[in-house]
Amino acid sequence: MVRPFSLLVKPASADCNLRCEYCFYLGHCGFYPETRRHRMTDEVLATMVRTYMATPQPTYQFGWQGGEPTLMGLDFFRRVVGCQQQFGRDGAGVANGLQTNATLITPEFAAHLAEYHFLTGVSLDGPRYLHDKYRLTPAGKGSHEEVRRGIRRLQEANAEFNILILVSEANVRDPAVVYHYLCDNGFLFHQYIPCVEPDENRRILPFSIAAEEWGEFLCRVFDLWYAADTRRVSIRLFDSVLALLVDNVRNICPFGSNCCQYFVVEYNGDVFPCDFFVEKRLRIGNVTEDSWETMQQSPIYTSFGQQKSVWHERCDTCPWLWICQGDCLKHRLCTGGGDPRHLSGLCNGWRMFYEHTMPRFRELAEVVRQDRRRFAAESIPRGPGSVPGRNDPCPCGSGRKYKRCCGR
Ligand code: SF4
Ligand code: SF4
């Protein structure tokens, strides 16, 4: 019996048209040395989509990532949709996400993403002087201008997008600058990601941030958001805390107690357990040779996943264990010599954040419950057809889409 899972696909492997200094996946460029140019073939694509869509899933979730997945070109993404239409059963829900630097987004590409409702995540670290410190072209030039051009094209096509902000040494001391820059430009969906990268000797690299810096950054962003924007701006981490408080749903993998959450599929069909652990020793199988059920039951996969709940003894008595679950394995294994009981390098930051925000998160959770009760009461007398569609404005007046607000 197959448990629900999603796919994170790297159709161009680690190939990228940029050379961001802090990119963890660029180090994988030599992972498949048989060729310099890595591109998923139509055969691997079709096999992956066909076999995945033959498994029972509430929604078929594809995340297209890299490297830079748009190097595959628009025709590849047309074939993606073609395969999904060919192999999907009637009524099967399909969700596509694309994580991109946006520099190769053409008007036609943006129109395709809009037409098929891809949710595009664009990497943008703030205003030019912060973004251009590490997000560089191969010639060493900043990429900010090209990223903003890609975003404009997404906007002109009415494509849905959110902004992925890597919080590094460059911008960690400027939470208000980053937050206001995004909001002032109308970018209201944010995902903040901590940059913590060790070298091969487990020494933290200089563009990484410390736990206290991460905690301070999150607390300041929370204060700004809470003061004025809870109904206007969506921040992935904050939404996930609320989803846990309101619905008891753990919708980001670090909040889970097991890391058997999804599969990474590399350009040649090789399958791995996690984006941060694409390593030869963790190769679970290949989509052209192994069934999803076999791979899900693989000892490599299950033993990898079980490490999540083997945490440091400090976690046992931590008041935030119910949500933090010892933190992401990346922040434990990479600096802990492969021992999941190593304390997360971000532990003090998470503690600072939860202590500072949880009373207000609990208040907000109660507001969401009240909104839902009011909405349910108001919508019942109006009968069938009164419930908004997922993309309609939320009737609670937040200005957000229903699926991002009370319909969550
Ligand atoms: S290691 Fe981190 S990113 Fe990977 S599945 Fe576990 S929690 Fe998620
Ligand atoms: S905040 Fe620190 S001690 Fe608490 S569960 Fe997370 S990693 Fe463990």
Side-chain angles (χ1 to χ4, degrees):
M1 183 64 186
V2 181
R3 296 185 307 279
F5 62 93
S6 57
L7 298 184
L8 194 161
V9 189
K10 294 176 178 287
S13 192
D15 296 3
C16 189
N17 61 323
L18 296 186
R19 292 290 178 276
C20 304
E21 274 189 45
Y22 53 37
C23 176
F24 79 95
Y25 215 72
L26 263 186
H28 282 71
C29 282
F31 196 68
Y32 291 112
E34 64 275 12
T35 170
R36 284 189 59 216
R37 189 175 183 275
H38 305 87
R39 300 291 182 269
M40 182 173 275
T41 63
D42 288 350
E43 186 199 352
V44 170
L45 171 66
T47 306
M48 176 184 71
V49 175
R50 176 176 54 76
T51 55
Y52 178 45
M53 296 192 81
T55 64
Q57 305 285 341
T59 304
Y60 294 90
Q61 298 184 59
F62 297 84
W64 305 93
Q65 216 188 73
E68 178 48 48
T70 60
L71 284 175
M72 297 301 293
L74 175 54
D75 281 346
F76 174 81
F77 285 94
R78 289 189 174 124
R79 292 195 290 278
V80 164
V81 172
C83 285
Q84 291 169 342
Q85 290 171 336
Q86 181 182 351
F87 298 120
R89 295 184 308 276
D90 276 353
V94 177
N96 283 294
L98 175 73
Q99 189 169 325
T100 176
N101 60 40
T103 59
L104 301 175
I105 298 284
T106 61
E108 295 75 26
F109 214 131
H112 179 77
L113 299 176
E115 182 176 358
Y116 293 101
H117 305 288
F118 279 60
L119 177 59
T120 301
V122 178
S123 299
L124 177 70
D125 290 351
R128 181 192 304 266
Y129 75 97
L130 297 178
H131 176 98
D132 280 352
K133 180 157 186 188
Y134 291 124
R135 299 197 69 83
L136 304 171
T137 68
K141 201 172 140 272
S143 61
H144 192 267
E145 197 176 319
E146 292 167 63
V147 175
R148 289 298 308 265
R149 184 191 59 206
I151 293 175
R152 273 197 305 281
R153 289 174 174 168
L154 291 169
Q155 288 173 310
E156 283 158 12
N158 276 327
E160 277 194 70
F161 68 93
N162 56 19
I163 302 292
L164 312 177
I165 308 102
L166 198 72
V167 181
S168 71
E169 171 278 328
N171 56 7
V172 72
R173 287 173 294 282
D174 294 296
V177 172
V178 174
Y179 182 82
H180 288 309
Y181 170 80
L182 297 177
C183 295
D184 292 350
N185 280 284
F187 308 151
L188 303 182
F189 296 90
H190 308 181
Q191 184 176 347
Y192 296 94
I193 303 159
C195 178
V196 183
E197 294 301 327
D199 65 14
E200 57 279 5
N201 298 317
R202 293 192 250 148
R203 281 190 302 254
I204 293 296
L205 289 163
F207 39 71
S208 302
I209 57 173
E212 291 73 14
E213 291 178 310
W214 176 235
E216 185 71 20
F217 184 95
L218 287 179
C219 291
R220 295 292 76 78
V221 169
F222 180 89
D223 290 345
L224 293 166
W225 174 78
Y226 183 83
D229 288 331
T230 57
R231 291 185 181 266
R232 185 175 76 108
V233 176
S234 168
I235 295 177
R236 177 91 189 276
L237 173 65
F238 302 173
D239 288 349
S240 297
V241 173
L242 285 171
L244 184 53
L245 291 174
V246 175
D247 295 321
N248 202 24
V249 169
R250 295 176 186 270
N251 65 14
I252 52 173
C253 54
F255 285 2
S257 59
N258 189 301
C259 281
C260 293
Q261 303 256 354
Y262 63 96
F263 289 114
V264 173
V265 184
E266 259 289 354
Y267 88 104
N268 62 355
D270 281 354
V271 176
F272 299 88
C274 165
D275 197 16
F276 297 124
F277 294 94
V278 176
E279 300 172 11
K280 292 271 190 256
R281 68 183 175 91
L282 293 173
R283 180 182 174 277
I284 298 167
N286 188 287
V287 297
T288 61
E289 295 163 3
D290 305 286
S291 73
W292 294 108
E293 190 169 8
T294 308
M295 290 192 278
Q296 209 169 48
Q297 290 165 2
S298 138
I300 296 176
Y301 193 49
T302 51
S303 58
F304 173 82
Q306 286 162 0
Q307 296 176 98
K308 183 70 163 68
S309 57
V310 180
W311 43 60
H312 189 270
E313 58 187 24
R314 186 185 190 196
C315 304
D316 286 327
T317 53
C318 173
W320 309 113
L321 181 63
W322 61 274
I323 184 163
C324 177
Q325 301 285 310
D327 195 16
C328 171
L329 282 176
K330 182 194 177 197
H331 304 137
R332 300 190 250 159
L333 298 179
C334 294
T335 47
D339 183 354
R341 288 164 300 186
H342 187 77
L343 187 65
S344 163
L346 292 180
C347 171
N348 286 341
W350 289 122
R351 282 179 171 243
M352 188 190 299
F353 170 64
Y354 291 129
E355 277 161 22
H356 183 74
T357 59
M358 198 51 72
R360 285 177 285 171
F361 268 128
R362 291 193 192 284
E363 276 172 25
L364 288 172
E366 187 48 38
V367 171
V368 173
R369 289 187 202 101
Q370 284 169 7
D371 281 351
R372 284 191 187 170
R373 281 195 292 270
R374 200 180 63 238
F375 169 56
E378 286 170 2
S379 64
I380 288 166
R382 286 185 273 148
S386 62
V387 176
R390 284 170 49 72
N391 288 314
D392 290 340
C394 190
C396 77
S398 66
R400 293 193 204 168
K401 291 182 178 181
Y402 177 60
K403 68 181 178 189
R404 304 261 198 185
C405 190
C406 300
R408 266 190 305 218

